[in-house]
Amino acid sequence: MAGKEHNVGFDTDLYSRQLYTFGVHAMQKLTSANVFLSGLGGLGVEVAKDLTLAGVKTLTLHDPFNAHLLDLSTQFFLTEENVNKGDNRAQISAQKIAELNPYVRVETYSKDDHLFVNDNDKFFNEFFTYLQSSNFQAVVLTGFLFTLPQIFKISHHCHKSDIKFVYGFSAGVFGGIFADFGDQHIITDKNGELPLEFYIENIAPSGEVSTLDAVKHNLEDGDVVTFTEVRGIDSINQPSVSFKVKTINASKFSLDNFSEAQHPGKYLGGGLVKQIKTNSTLPFSDFESSLSNAKFEFSDFAKFDRPQLLHAALLAAFEYIAQSRANKFQNKNVCFYDSLPEAWNAEDAEAFVKQCESVNTKYKLNVEVTKEARDLWRSVASVIKGGVVGVAGFLGGVLTQEVIKGITGKYTPLCQWLYFDITELLPNALGTVSGSNNVTLSKTRGAGQEIVVGTEVAQILSGLKIFMIGSGAIGCEMLKNFALMGLGEGKNNGKVVVTDMDLIEKSNLNRQFLFRSGDIQKPKSVTAAAAVQHMNSAITVEAQQNKVGTETEKIYTDAFWKAQDVIVGALDNVQARLYVDSRCVSFKKPLLESGTEATKGHVQVILPFATETYGSTKDPETGGYASCTIKTFPNRIEHTIQWARDQFESLYNVQVSEVDKMLEAGPQWIENFEGSVQGADRLRNSKRLVKIISRRPKTLEDCVKFGRLKFEANYHNKIVQLLHLFPRDKVHTTGPEKGKKYWSKEKRPPTPIVYDEKNPSHVNFVRFSALLFGRIWDMDLLSLYGNQFFDDEFVNKEVRKVKIETFVPADNKFIETDTNVSDEEMKKKKAEMEAKFRSNEEEEKKQIEQNLVVLKQFIDQNYSDFKTKKFVRIEEFEKDDDKNGHVDWILHASNIRAQNYEIKPADKLETKRIAGRIIPAIATTTAAVSGLASIELIKTAKILKSKLFNSDFTPDATLELFKNCFLNLGVPTFQFATPVKVKKNELAPGVVVSLWDVWDVKEGDLTVAQFLNVIDKKFKVSNVDAITQGTQMVYMKWMPGHDKRLGQKMRRYLSVEKEAKHVDLLITSEIKDVATGKDVMKGVPVRYWIVRSRGAAGGKRKRVGEVEVKKVEEEEEKEEEEEEEEEEESSLDW
């Protein structure tokens, strides 16, 4: 089956998540590309990692310098041993990078490196000759290895030779990127989004188009669209006819080149619009030409003036280094860092400022030289020797994505300069260089980071206790960043705990760079922890394999959460994020929440008492489709794939699970069934089970018969039945649609399909149906029949033996046609319809008895064999195992249904993406997002040193330090914003609370009335309307019968886990919103501490706080009776 994958020229299993981001064409270009990368410092190694994971053909690395202590804060493939031995940065990095991807050939260029210091001109001439004679599609330079004139020459060569050129630097808290893709760079897809598709309800004679039900079209001016299925204007449906659009509003647009003369006729209905991706051309300037007329992309609009200032600082750095080399490089033992300004040195900082003023004039930058400008330049000089891994990671992800854009033509490139800074990390005020005790330069592996953030913050980082949930793509990057940041170093009692339930799969290797092919099926957390300990042996990492949720609260106890300093979320689903978010609120812990999807990513900083939480503005759940649409009215390939996925679950999982449970229970099952299943379900369930076991196959013929009959039922009989109830010429007889055709708008009339043994999809449906049906009953058809099972004639020979009965449609079948009806409502309607045609009770009882006799006989005959060897196998859908037939079955099941409804079929890759609900993912976005999250972690450490996270915390000034971010590397856009302040509500005069406030009630074993009294006296809130525990009601003031609860003990209405010390409740009250002044219903969390009175010796009274607790066994029976009466009076699904 693996051999039947598309012949695309690359490993689709390894690159599957990236493939769904870039597409086949872009991937083919990328995997054929040769890239040269110079500079293997922190930024360079990030780019090398990301390019290798992306899968370029060859990557040639160059760096004449040896490992240095200052590298170790950002260069994760270098160690103290490499520094001590004087190993070359490129040579060491190449060995490690080559392990990341077996399909990438990693080479090094090191000819005449020794001349770099002694005879730099000769070195460059040799290097440039090599570059001219090589076949590189992209050249990347990082850092300050080359002089400006040398970069000009390289850039000129690349520009005229159609070689994509990208430059980048990362220095302290500053960095930047430049991109030049030549005079005529062709963009094949500006945003990477799937082409838009939507239905319309009108085309006016003027060419104005209205969408169906006024849905948003999301088109932009200049987009190109085509039409199909339009009735009345036939010419518009031709594949060769396309239109440029001009938007009118969210649901209307006009067609620029539409006329009645060209497209005669009158719109009568229907119409599907499809967006066509068209090529566009973007011109670039080379490096030298762009200097005095730079075009900037803005990374942070709050720092609108920074790009120009940093542009001057970059050019000044080149000039400063060139002068420094001329003075210092006579000594061949001088390292690269010796040519940079000394860290926090006032004299060097002032010299650097003068250099900035000089280049401003020399290159006609027109920068206004103000005090603020000079302060920024002094800070650049002060930290240019240092490095922060978060900055290198972010810029590395962005830069690599630009290289990929240049190679593939996919997405919109930078135009042309991007600068980035995080001066918020600096230990001193901007421009302050001397006279501060915040920086003590050390000779440890963290020296580079200490230059930037200061010694005190570096020490706080090393002592942090971090709990990270998830060690997938973001988790791997974060662990690497932790190691280089010095987090969890045992000398300061720091520790990182990471947990992840998952095992490593092949598709993970494309972006989870701590894993290798030999790690497949090993635990992610354990493998990742071991990998980062090789990067920094001082880091203390405890790897766990637990899920974090309600079911593991005995592992992740209150004490565990309280002991943590910062929580890092590296999760991939909304529900898990919400749970972690709620625990952080309960225990007042900072949370760094991040995520990615394709080229998009986000980072959210959540601070106790200061910001909103993830739950305040959570990500939307992935939208589904109405059951009615899936089952009856599909109009998109996504609908048919979802239908096929549902069918798969029913046939090969749910139904066989029922048999499995029945055999597990054995003879006891009959008794359980009779005691638990009631009413019409008894007949329905027993009948279904009898049908399932009666089809148990014994031969190949039985398996093929199952597949052939399923084909007939799904693609012929059910369609005939549908058209019998809703003929093609049916019209609405009532309502607003009266007189209009039933089969219109999004409802496509289906066509029954007759099995065609010459149609590969038909044969494959039967083949894979037989394969899976045999497997769930412990028949391995592949082992039995080998390759002949994939011979069409072999299958069709068995198909011809199957007798197909003539199908006669019925009049009493229920088919839901309202797309707004929920699944539960649909089941109810179906039950009501079936009730009209049910047999009498005696007949039903007789049928049930007969069914149970058959089922009992089946259990008696098979129970012993089943206990010895389970012959029932449940198929759990697995998208990444191409040998199991799962995606193959869904592919053909979906495409044949698409044929029923005249929907364009999907290929296997697209089917796999949709059926597997695969979230497209790439290493570049992961690196960028993780870098930003790591930066925010350092800011959090700065606040933690002040112990400010408490109810008296005043966030206004502090929040300005932090940045939430949403980014899209494809477009590209970077939206940085200060985290949203938490909303506060006035519960009573002088009582203002936010979602971070949790009230403790420790007054003992209270009645509901006593509890309310405590809330009133202690927290000044007297107007409590409700008390709830999760979805469970404790007390509702307005509920009938709940006034009786006031005298009852709170514990009567609580769900309390064994040994739990407290339960979390929510009190709801009508309060005044401080922001709007309106009265709203708001909830406040209350932690109610449990008092366990049972077991006191002799039942004697026990004093707890101010409340007397005694045995109440004598009252229990009476209370139980009152409770039953009360529940009859009122019930509410809260």
Side-chain angles (χ1 to χ4, degrees), residues 224-285:
V224 177
V225 299
T226 62
F227 291 82
T228 56
E229 304 176 25
V230 174
R231 299 197 307 275
I233 312 176
D234 294 339
S235 61
I236 205 173
N237 294 319
Q238 299 299 318
S240 59
V241 176
S242 61
F243 302 89
K244 280 190 176 182
V245 307
K246 184 174 180 60
T247 59
I248 298 173
N249 57 35
S251 62
K252 291 184 179 181
F253 58 92
S254 62
L255 307 176
D256 279 358
N257 49 347
F258 180 88
S259 70
E260 288 188 90
Q262 287 179 308
H263 303 288
K266 181 180 180 182
Y267 177 80
L268 298 178
L272 177 65
V273 176
K274 296 184 180 181
Q275 180 191 28
I276 303 299
K277 298 277 187 173
T278 57
N279 292 353
S280 58
T281 303
L282 189 65
F284 286 79
S285 300

Side-chain angles (χ1 to χ4, degrees), residues 168-390:
F169 78 99
S170 175
V173 293
F174 307 95
I177 298 169
F178 168 81
D180 169 21
F181 297 159
D183 287 327
Q184 298 291 316
H185 175 66
I186 297 174
I187 302 171
T188 59
D189 184 348
K190 63 183 179 182
N191 58 21
E193 302 291 342
L194 293 173
L196 298 168
E197 286 190 14
F198 51 88
Y199 285 89
I200 62 171
E201 64 182 16
N202 188 49
I203 301 177
S206 63
E208 180 179 300
V209 181
S210 302
T211 63
L212 180 63
D213 298 329
V215 299
K216 292 182 178 180
H217 52 65
N218 294 317
L219 293 170
E220 298 177 2
D221 289 350
D223 282 349
V224 177
V225 299
T226 62
F227 291 82
T228 56
E229 304 176 25
V230 174
R231 299 197 307 275
I233 312 176
D234 294 339
S235 61
I236 205 173
N237 294 319
Q238 299 299 318
S240 59
V241 176
S242 61
F243 302 89
K244 280 190 176 182
V245 307
K246 184 174 180 60
T247 59
I248 298 173
N249 57 35
S251 62
K252 291 184 179 181
F253 58 92
S254 62
L255 307 176
D256 279 358
N257 49 347
F258 180 88
S259 70
E260 288 188 90
Q262 287 179 308
H263 303 288
K266 181 180 180 182
Y267 177 80
L268 298 178
L272 177 65
V273 176
K274 296 184 180 181
Q275 180 191 28
I276 303 299
K277 298 277 187 173
T278 57
N279 292 353
S280 58
T281 303
L282 189 65
F284 286 79
S285 300
D286 64 34
F287 192 94
E288 184 177 17
S289 303
S290 72
L291 291 182
S292 59
N293 190 27
K295 299 176 182 177
F296 299 118
E297 297 275 4
F298 288 94
S299 62
D300 188 346
F301 283 94
K303 301 176 178 180
F304 195 78
D305 61 333
R306 290 288 171 85
Q308 280 190 317
L309 299 178
L310 292 177
H311 193 55
L314 171 64
L315 301 181
F318 278 111
E319 300 283 358
Y320 186 101
I321 292 167
Q323 291 182 11
S324 182
R325 284 177 179 170
N327 296 330
K328 298 179 181 178
F329 270 24
Q330 303 305 316
N331 178 356
K332 65 173 104 179
N333 293 321
V334 171
C335 76
F336 163 71
Y337 288 101
D338 290 328
S339 63
L340 299 174
E342 289 296 330
W344 301 102
N345 181 284
E347 183 180 345
D348 283 4
E350 290 308 316
F352 187 83
V353 170
K354 290 180 180 179
Q355 200 65 257
C356 290
E357 295 172 347
S358 173
V359 297
N360 186 35
T361 302
K362 179 178 179 180
Y363 292 102
K364 301 178 181 179
L365 303 182
N366 297 320
V367 174
E368 184 180 358
V369 181
T370 63
K371 177 183 181 302
E372 290 75 17
R374 292 189 178 95
D375 284 345
L376 182 72
W377 291 334
R378 290 187 189 96
S379 294
V380 172
S382 297
V383 298
I384 196 170
K385 269 190 174 183
V388 177
V389 67

